[in-house]
Amino acid sequence: MKKILLAGGAGYIGSHTAVELINSGYDVIIADNYSNSCPEAVRRIEEITGKSVKAYELDIKDKTALETVFKENKIDAVIHFAGLKAVGESVAKPVLYYRNNIDTTLSLLECMEEFGVKNIIFSSSATVYGEENPVPYTEKMKRGTCTNPYGWTKVMMEQILEDAANADKELSVVLLRYFNPIGAHESGKIGEDPQGIPNNLMPYVAQVAVGRREKLTIFGNDYDTPDGTCRRDYIHVVDLAKGHVKAIDYILSHEGVEIFNLGTGTPYSVTEIVETFENVNDMKINHVYGDRRPGDLPESYANADKALEVLGWKTEKTLADMCRDTWNWQKNNPNGYKK
């Protein structure tokens, strides 16, 4: 059974990916410092899959601690989820973001080289397309100019991984550029549990619905879009997780660097998200319109044809599924993983 190390595997996307990998016959090892996640997520993964999961509490930046994981396990591939991801915080604390996100990548690559591990999948982002590229984004486009340090760390980490693969022809790298993951596992046992005030739309909507927040502020309703609010490519986190399984299947017999967009190819506006959430879950979300937020693009969505052609992957879940599963998670876990 192939062993897959999930760096940052207790987080939102990592936990859902762990479930799908285990259900597909892979052996999962999680390493996480729980700075933006919770050990309870690991227990829930075990509950959903019926399999025990080996988990290490450590900081991926700490190479000495990370070496222990590689010494104790014969790892076949790494999926790199570890990193800080709040755009606003990255603007306020750029040095923290550059130090944390880039150092995690370097420590992983150094350990992989030391222990002969030749496969890594990187959790990248559509933010690397920047402001210059027209939608829909394709993998052949050049990386653009980012508007915040978080985005720049993704650009830099992609470059580091590409350079490493160019230097070591046996190294296989897959860069997965996510669009906007939302939703939760249909069991309602794992989902998105942001620390503090949510930075993303859907968890904020869910927290308003459950009474943790008074109202949602929609940033701008005067964009050049059909209803004036920003449009994004929202993808169900379970579809996204299944994309990682396809990428693991692919990378184990592949060398070099490949890039894949993981998105639906269909943009939805903020207003559409709110209205769908209300309709599917039979409730009203208290919301108001505010000023535009600096750095927000009017539209961002994928061309995901390559993932279908090469990986045989495409999304299956609808926007209604995303909204229903989000609420199922939030209503059953009103305070997230905390009791």
Side-chain angles (χ1 to χ4, degrees):
M1 188 182 292
K2 299 291 187 182
K3 291 183 183 290
I4 314 301
L5 172 62
L6 306 188
Y12 175 44
I13 300 169
S15 59
H16 287 82
T17 300
V19 168
E20 298 304 321
L21 284 168
I22 292 166
N23 288 342
S24 297
Y26 289 102
D27 190 5
V28 164
I29 299 155
I30 288 174
D32 203 303
N33 66 356
Y34 305 120
S35 64
N36 194 34
S37 59
C38 180
E40 175 64 14
V42 178
R43 193 192 69 76
R44 303 272 186 101
I45 292 166
E46 294 177 326
E47 189 178 333
I48 293 167
T49 62
K51 303 285 179 64
S52 62
V53 175
K54 186 181 285 189
Y56 293 82
E57 183 173 359
L58 58 86
D59 192 324
I60 304 298
K61 296 195 306 294
D62 184 345
K63 187 181 170 222
T64 301
L66 190 59
E67 282 175 335
T68 301
V69 180
F70 282 82
K71 285 175 184 173
E72 294 181 358
N73 305 276
K74 187 182 182 305
I75 293 165
D76 294 286
V78 173
I79 305 182
H80 180 10
F81 297 107
L84 300 172
K85 62 176 185 175
V87 170
E89 185 182 51
S90 79
V91 174
K93 301 176 180 178
V95 174
L96 173 67
Y97 270 65
Y98 288 118
R99 169 67 74 187
N100 184 84
N101 291 4
I102 292 171
D103 275 8
T104 57
T105 306
L106 296 175
S107 292
L108 279 168
L109 284 171
E110 287 171 350
C111 285
M112 287 173 62
E113 183 176 24
E114 183 178 344
F115 291 91
V117 180
K118 296 298 184 180
N119 304 294
I120 182 167
I121 294 172
F122 176 54
S123 168
S124 192
S125 167
T127 192
V128 303
Y129 289 111
E131 298 181 281
E132 302 92 331
N133 289 305
V135 291
Y137 301 132
T138 69
E139 294 88 346
K140 291 182 179 179
M141 291 175 174
K142 291 185 177 180
R143 288 184 285 253
T145 302
C146 294
T147 58
N148 56 77
Y150 161 75
W152 281 118
T153 66
K154 292 292 187 185
V155 168
M156 292 174 184
M157 288 185 283
E158 282 198 4
Q159 188 65 55
I160 289 166
L161 288 160
E162 288 181 357
D163 290 344
N166 287 335
D168 179 357
K169 298 307 180 185
E170 293 182 355
L171 184 62
S172 182
V173 173
V174 169
L175 308 175
L176 296 181
R177 292 177 177 168
Y178 307 163
F179 281 71
N180 293 70
I182 59 176
H185 192 268
E186 62 182 10
S187 67
K189 294 182 185 299
I190 57 174
E192 189 167 10
D193 183 24
Q195 307 298 305
I197 299 172
N199 291 287
N200 298 322
L201 173 63
M202 188 58 93
Y204 208 107
V205 169
Q207 289 191 10
V208 171
V210 84
R212 286 175 62 181
R213 308 285 166 195
E214 178 190 357
K215 64 186 177 186
L216 168 72
T217 298
I218 296 173
F219 298 110
N221 62 346
D222 58 350
Y223 286 96
D224 185 18
T225 60
D227 64 22
T229 62
C230 291
R231 301 205 304 167
R232 297 288 181 267
D233 189 337
Y234 293 95
I235 175 175
H236 197 294
V237 67
V238 172
D239 278 334
L240 183 65
K242 289 178 178 178
H244 290 75
V245 178
K246 292 287 191 180
I248 283 290
D249 294 343
Y250 173 79
I251 202 172
L252 291 173
S253 58
H254 172 264
E255 292 179 358
V257 180
E258 286 289 351
I259 302 169
F260 297 100
N261 287 336
L262 295 186
T264 66
T266 301
Y268 294 101
S269 73
V270 177
T271 298
E272 286 178 289
I273 294 289
V274 173
E275 290 177 349
T276 304
F277 192 96
E278 291 178 330
N279 293 335
V280 166
N281 298 309
D282 192 23
M283 63 173 61
K284 286 295 180 184
I285 299 297
N286 184 23
H287 64 277
V288 297
Y289 292 97
D291 294 335
R292 293 186 182 192
R293 188 169 53 182
D296 276 348
L297 299 174
E299 292 188 304
S300 171
Y301 59 99
N303 177 316
D305 290 349
K306 183 179 176 183
L308 176 59
E309 292 166 7
V310 178
L311 301 179
W313 172 90
K314 64 178 180 178
T315 58
E316 299 173 348
K317 295 182 180 289
T318 65
L319 181 58
D321 294 329
M322 300 178 211
C323 292
R324 184 183 303 108
D325 290 342
T326 296
W327 179 234
N328 186 43
W329 151 257
Q330 193 71 76
K331 73 181 181 183
N332 287 306
N333 303 272
N335 297 307
Y337 289 113
K338 301 178 184 69
K339 297 294 185 184

